[in-house]
Amino acid sequence: MKKSIISCLLVLLTLYPIFGQQISPANKAKQETYREISHRQQKTGWILLGVGLTTTVVGAAAFNESWDSPSNSSTDIFGFLMLGGVISTFSSIPFFISAGANKRRAYQLSFDLSPQPFINSELTGLALKPQPGFRITVKF
């Protein structure tokens, strides 16, 4: 009798790490990290695009007005302002591309082999009991 109880306890102790695991939030944390990075890169891209277009338009309008002026220095300043706006506009493109790549990484298929919560009504009340399972999550 004692040997059967001891053997049952040994079996339970060896199986506990398999069936009694906590659900790991590592995958969710990684997805949240990619979402935050994507959001920041997209925000940076929009800021660069807005500033670039604004300075391009202002620089072009002021360049046109100062073309007939006797001072070449103001024309040069507005020409450089317009050029800086164009460079800023084109530099926003890599931020949008990398934001899209990070967004795809965040929303890709995630496979999880961790134990899944299961409602066991055979116990004295309703209790969540982790059961081994396979979960596929697709987020859009």
Side-chain angles (χ1 to χ4, degrees):
M1 183 81 170
K2 286 185 179 184
K3 288 185 179 184
S4 64
I5 292 175
I6 292 174
S7 62
C8 287
L9 285 174
L10 287 175
V11 169
L12 286 175
L13 287 176
T14 57
L15 292 178
Y16 177 73
I18 297 170
F19 294 111
Q21 296 178 24
Q22 293 280 334
I23 296 175
S24 173
N27 203 15
K28 269 192 181 268
K30 191 183 294 185
Q31 286 180 351
E32 287 298 319
T33 303
Y34 280 129
R35 282 188 199 131
E36 289 174 14
I37 291 171
S38 172
H39 180 69
R40 281 190 306 220
Q41 287 174 336
Q42 195 170 21
K43 187 186 287 188
T44 303
W46 282 113
I47 289 171
L48 283 174
L49 182 67
V51 168
L53 288 176
T54 304
T55 55
T56 301
V57 170
V58 168
F63 182 79
N64 188 28
E65 290 294 322
S66 68
W67 185 257
D68 294 330
S69 72
S71 171
N72 288 335
S73 64
S74 65
T75 306
D76 290 343
I77 290 172
F78 292 125
F80 284 125
L81 183 67
M82 184 174 58
L83 180 65
V86 169
I87 290 171
S88 175
T89 302
F90 283 120
S91 67
S92 69
I93 294 172
F95 284 100
F96 286 124
I97 291 172
S98 61
N102 284 327
K103 191 174 186 178
R104 278 189 296 278
R105 283 187 195 130
Y107 291 121
Q108 70 185 357
L109 285 174
S110 65
F111 297 100
D112 193 7
L113 289 173
S114 63
Q116 303 300 313
F118 176 73
I119 297 177
N120 190 355
S121 61
E122 295 175 2
L123 297 174
T124 57
L126 293 178
L128 287 177
K129 180 181 175 185
Q131 297 290 322
F134 180 72
R135 175 177 61 180
I136 298 175
T137 306
V138 181
K139 295 184 178 182
F140 295 99

